[in-house]
Amino acid sequence: MRGPLGAVIGRYPSSDGNTQMGGIIRHNRKCRDIAFLVIFIAFWVAMIVNSSFGFNQGNPLRLTYGLDYKGNVCGDKNAQPGLRQLELRYWLNPNQVYQSGLKGSEFKLANARTICLLDCPFASEDQLNWVCDYPDGDIHLSMDDWIDRNYDYYEFLTPEMRNSSLQLQGPCYPVIFPSVNVYWSCQYIARASNISLRHWQQMGGVNINEDIIIDKSIHRSINSRSSVLKRYMADIGKAWPVLIVCGGFLPLFLSVIWLLMIRHFVAAMPWVTVALFNVLIVSVTMFYYLKAGWIGNDAISPIIGEHDPYIRIYGREIHHIRAVAVLMTFIMIVAVLTSIAIVRRILMATSVLKVAAKVIGEVQALIIFPIIPYTILAIFYMFWFSAALHLFSSGQVVQNDCNTNCCAYDLVSKRVNCDHCCGYSIHYTPHIGVAILFHLFGCYWATQFFIACSSTVIAGSVASYYWARGETSPDIPFLPVFSSMKRLMRYGLGSVALGSLIVSFVESIRFMLESIRRKLKVSSTTPHSYIGKAAFHSSRFFFRCIEWTIKSVNRNAYIMIAITGKSFCKASAIATELIINNILRIGRVNVIGDVILFLGKLCVSLSSALFAFLMLDTHKYRSAHNKISSPVFPVVVCWGLGYVVATLFFAVVEMSIDTIILSFCQDSEEHQGTAQYAPPLLIETLNDQNEMQRLTQGPH
């Protein structure tokens, strides 16, 4: 052992050599790990610059709506012409769509002529309907009149314009195929209207290809991975009220309720937590089954608004929901079996939680303190999500480079124009991908940093309480929580920045290795031999163990930083040595308590997910303008936010237990196995003599 910590906690010698009762954990501190605090500040500056790029270049409308043939984003009121409320992308020429779906064709769907409409056009029962280009040139119609006429001004066309329209070169195009609104694009249905087709042929129109390719081409474009990712990000923008309620206020309310119940009903809380956890995980799993269509008929549909009841179009999102449903089923089974296995150990958890309940009762400011980091994180997340939406939608709208023949009538020049007929697409440069990855890493590091700050403040408050023997003492500051905050702000921010950076770095490495593993699995390059498979899975398990160990060491390092004021590395060494010397003592008392606290965090986060499901199941998010493509991403985000909020509040209990036990073990080692500073509340809570003997004497 490195020697007693009496020089920094409890009694310590004064300058004249006499032992006096000085201020609890107040000693000659100095700023530690300043270099990493500078790095963290520089990181924040880079985050602001990175986000500014997103706000300058991005347009969240791009995540939901497509582009027309002029490069305008549908629904953009600042476009030329103004496209406010014209949010649906419609492919005018069915033959271009057909051609883009042929194998080996050089013509791409991105180059097909598209315009933005208010609703998808329909084939008439008794005549031929037309959809005409935006009014311009000699067509003296306003956009409102054009919309009121169902986009049809064929009767105003000159003979030359009518002839080019019959050649599928515009400015008007026939509505031969019905279409439905699928994720804000009019999806062709390969079932031509016989009446419309007959009228078209009688007018001398060119041949229109009828084939299943006509709708597969559009469906394939709508369901591409990039399109699905954009829709998921757009879902976050549409479901922001759900995120605020279910990811912010609800977990705040539930976490405070849980802390108050721990304070007043500590004996019943482990049983309530385990039972509630099982109910919630089953409920969330059943909701995924409902949305996957495996229970009832409430599966998500990519079709928006009214549609043909005989048409069923599936999107990639439904497969993702089913995959999550299978995963949740596996997690549910494991969770239920695990909770059954720990039933016999819950009494031990109750004795551990009594420690935290007593501390919270004496230092009551601990209950409301997490509201401070919660408020800071809430402000950060609002900024971060807004910047993320703009970053994901950043990029330049550029005209495609193509050599295809896609002539169309130009109303301004009054002739068929075959120049510059290539469509537009959003060009993403590699640095945008780097900016997004940096933004994601920044979110994780900032989250870990604020959680670490909160944990360190709590540890300092509880340590003040312990080393004053749990009594009201002049050596305990009047407001220990705020005194601990002052010490952190003045001395410990650099150490906390280093600890949170280590966790974030390890998580990032694990994420990258996991991505590589998935790519290897997709490309069928995973090891086939038993030795190769064993090494493959052992490496994953080994890395998860490293990750768990680092998080555990970090948590205890924050305690020693709060108590001793040492640098992060020095505090980690002290905490690790203390844990190794008392591993059996700490393990016997603390493991089940940590399990119950973990289940409590899951209860709060699963409640957030469940209520997010209920809010997203309302009419507002199932149809019309605010329809989301899938509840998966908003629900997962609400679950993550709920878990972060619960972690902030449950750290009060978690850090109280860890700080008390580490202080108890240190106190015992300094005083030959008999803790001198253990307050009466600790002796009262751990009233089991056998357990007390194991704590003070260790294993024989």
Side-chain angles (χ1 to χ4, degrees), residues 457-469:
V457 170
I458 294 169
S461 306
V462 176
S464 297
Y465 170 81
Y466 178 90
W467 293 99
R469 292 186 170 90

Side-chain angles (χ1 to χ4, degrees), residues 71-127:
N72 298 318
V73 180
C74 292
D76 188 357
K77 63 181 180 180
N78 298 318
Q80 291 296 330
L83 302 177
R84 184 179 180 86
Q85 295 184 342
L86 302 182
E87 299 168 340
L88 306 188
R89 177 177 49 172
Y90 176 69
W91 283 268
L92 287 166
N93 192 336
N95 275 358
Q96 287 184 342
V97 177
Y98 175 82
Q99 186 180 352
S100 68
L102 295 175
K103 292 184 178 179
S105 174
E106 295 182 359
F107 189 85
K108 305 301 180 185
L109 187 63
N111 295 317
R113 197 168 184 84
T114 58
I115 62 173
C116 303
L117 304 179
L118 185 62
D119 48 21
C120 291
F122 56 90
S124 175
E125 296 292 337
D126 55 2
Q127 63 181 359

Side-chain angles (χ1 to χ4, degrees), residues 27-36 491-499 502 553-554 556-575:
H27 55 286
N28 294 326
R29 293 176 178 246
K30 63 180 181 179
C31 296
R32 309 284 185 177
D33 301 313
I34 300 177
F36 292 95
Y491 303 111
L493 287 179
S495 300
V496 170
L498 174 56
I502 292 174
V553 169
N554 269 21
N556 291 289
Y558 297 145
I559 295 174
M560 301 314 295
I561 289 171
I563 295 176
T564 67
K566 300 292 185 182
S567 66
F568 177 82
C569 294
K570 186 74 172 178
S572 297
I574 295 174

Side-chain angles (χ1 to χ4, degrees), residues 609-639:
L610 184 61
F611 276 89
F613 261 126
L614 293 173
M615 286 190 68
L616 293 171
D617 202 36
T618 58
H619 177 74
K620 177 180 179 180
Y621 298 106
R622 296 179 64 180
S623 62
H625 180 78
N626 288 317
K627 178 182 173 66
I628 60 170
S629 63
S630 169
V632 168
F633 207 50
V635 167
V636 170
V637 171
C638 286
W639 177 87

Side-chain angles (χ1 to χ4, degrees), residues 463-673:
S464 297
Y465 170 81
Y466 178 90
W467 293 99
R469 292 186 170 90
E471 300 173 351
T472 302
S473 167
D475 297 298
I476 297 183
F478 175 67
L479 291 174
V481 173
F482 293 101
S483 298
S484 184
M485 286 177 60
K486 181 180 178 182
R487 290 193 298 270
L488 171 69
M489 297 291 292
R490 188 172 179 181
Y491 303 111
L493 287 179
S495 300
V496 170
L498 174 56
S500 57
L501 176 61
I502 292 174
V503 174
S504 303
F505 182 75
V506 171
E507 277 288 313
S508 300
I509 295 296
R510 186 182 71 82
F511 175 78
M512 287 188 288
L513 292 178
E514 190 70 15
S515 300
I516 294 173
R517 183 190 69 83
R518 287 180 183 148
K519 289 185 178 180
L520 291 175
K521 187 175 181 180
V522 170
S523 59
S524 300
T525 56
T526 50
H528 295 290
S529 64
Y530 287 108
I531 297 178
K533 288 182 178 179
F536 187 71
H537 293 291
S538 297
S539 61
R540 291 180 61 201
F541 176 75
F542 178 71
F543 204 85
R544 282 197 174 271
C545 288
I546 292 178
E547 176 194 352
W548 179 85
T549 303
I550 288 177
K551 286 185 176 181
S552 179
V553 169
N554 269 21
R555 193 172 70 183
N556 291 289
Y558 297 145
I559 295 174
M560 301 314 295
I561 289 171
I563 295 176
T564 67
K566 300 292 185 182
S567 66
F568 177 82
C569 294
K570 186 74 172 178
S572 297
I574 295 174
T576 302
E577 187 171 356
L578 191 61
I579 291 171
I580 292 175
N581 291 341
N582 299 273
I583 187 66
L584 294 179
R585 305 177 187 181
I586 295 176
R588 286 172 178 171
V589 175
N590 209 19
V591 170
I592 300 299
D594 283 346
V595 171
I596 295 299
L597 289 172
F598 177 66
L599 292 182
K601 295 176 190 176
L602 289 181
C603 283
V604 173
S605 57
L606 287 172
S607 298
S608 300
L610 184 61
F611 276 89
F613 261 126
L614 293 173
M615 286 190 68
L616 293 171
D617 202 36
T618 58
H619 177 74
K620 177 180 179 180
Y621 298 106
R622 296 179 64 180
S623 62
H625 180 78
N626 288 317
K627 178 182 173 66
I628 60 170
S629 63
S630 169
V632 168
F633 207 50
V635 167
V636 170
V637 171
C638 286
W639 177 87
L641 292 175
Y643 190 85
V644 170
V645 173
T647 299
L648 286 174
F649 282 84
F650 283 43
V652 172
V653 179
E654 204 167 23
M655 295 303 291
S656 296
I657 294 173
D658 289 349
T659 304
I660 286 288
I661 291 179
L662 276 179
S663 300
F664 187 90
C665 292
Q666 178 62 42
D667 194 9
S668 298
E669 290 198 7
E670 287 188 17
H671 300 95
Q672 293 76 44

Side-chain angles (χ1 to χ4, degrees), residues 223-284:
N223 259 335
S224 65
R225 291 183 178 179
S226 61
S227 298
V228 173
L229 178 60
K230 290 179 182 178
R231 286 200 293 270
Y232 279 160
M233 289 303 300
D235 289 342
I236 297 299
K238 294 176 183 178
W240 64 265
V242 178
L243 267 60
I244 292 177
V245 174
C246 299
F249 293 126
L250 180 64
L252 168 67
F253 174 76
L254 294 177
S255 297
V256 172
I257 292 297
W258 198 89
L259 284 180
L260 291 175
M261 292 185 70
I262 279 287
R263 170 69 182 89
H264 298 286
F265 307 103
V266 63
M269 281 309 295
W271 302 98
V272 172
T273 301
V274 172
L276 185 61
F277 168 72
N278 285 292
V279 171
L280 287 171
I281 196 168
V282 171
S283 300
V284 172

Side-chain angles (χ1 to χ4, degrees), residues 115-154:
I115 62 173
C116 303
L117 304 179
L118 185 62
D119 48 21
C120 291
F122 56 90
S124 175
E125 296 292 337
D126 55 2
Q127 63 181 359
L128 179 63
N129 285 352
W130 298 84
V131 172
C132 300
D133 202 347
Y134 302 129
D136 205 348
D138 291 337
I139 306 299
H140 301 292
L141 284 177
S142 66
M143 290 292 289
D144 290 337
D145 291 336
W146 175 66
I147 295 172
D148 292 339
R149 296 180 60 87
N150 290 325
Y151 328 108
D152 182 2
Y153 51 74
Y154 182 80

